[in-house]
Amino acid sequence: ARVPPNARGDLQQMDSIELYGYEASPFVRPVREKLCALGLPHRIVYSARGSANRDVLWEKEGRFQVPYISDPNTGVAFFEGPEICDYLEDVYTE
């Protein structure tokens, strides 16, 4: 994917952002697309029905909802797709 000209120059040195979600979720897709469009290193933690990763997120946050990101570069972790996309744009572009 082509990285936009306003993307930060140090993106490839960043630690991978964790995105909890699953393929069929229409709420996860825009976040996945934003991560790719910005060229951000990331790891998808698949959390489909029956996955042990749902339990991990439940234990971490007290509920299960996707999308959810955990950004080790800033210490931020939260839910809600539109807010995540705005956050990624604000933090990782110049």
Side-chain angles (χ1 to χ4, degrees), residues 16-31:
S16 291
I17 295 171
E18 285 190 335
L19 168 62
Y20 282 76
Y22 52 93
E23 195 70 33
S25 172
F27 307 107
V28 173
R29 184 177 180 174
V31 176

Side-chain angles (χ1 to χ4, degrees), residues 2-74:
R2 244 184 154 155
V3 178
N6 64 334
R8 288 175 39 174
D10 60 350
L11 295 182
Q12 291 306 312
Q13 287 109 29
M14 299 283 176
D15 291 328
S16 291
I17 295 171
E18 285 190 335
L19 168 62
Y20 282 76
Y22 52 93
E23 195 70 33
S25 172
F27 307 107
V28 173
R29 184 177 180 174
V31 176
R32 223 176 46 234
E33 289 174 351
K34 178 61 78 174
L35 287 163
C36 290
L38 292 175
L40 284 165
H42 62 282
R43 179 175 85 88
I44 298 175
V45 181
Y46 288 100
S47 309
R49 188 164 303 199
S51 167
N53 291 327
R54 283 184 175 229
D55 296 335
V56 170
L57 187 54
W58 185 268
E59 288 173 18
K60 187 186 281 194
E61 294 294 331
R63 67 180 168 143
F64 176 79
Q65 178 183 334
V66 292
Y68 172 85
I69 66 160
S70 177
D71 186 346
N73 304 296
T74 61

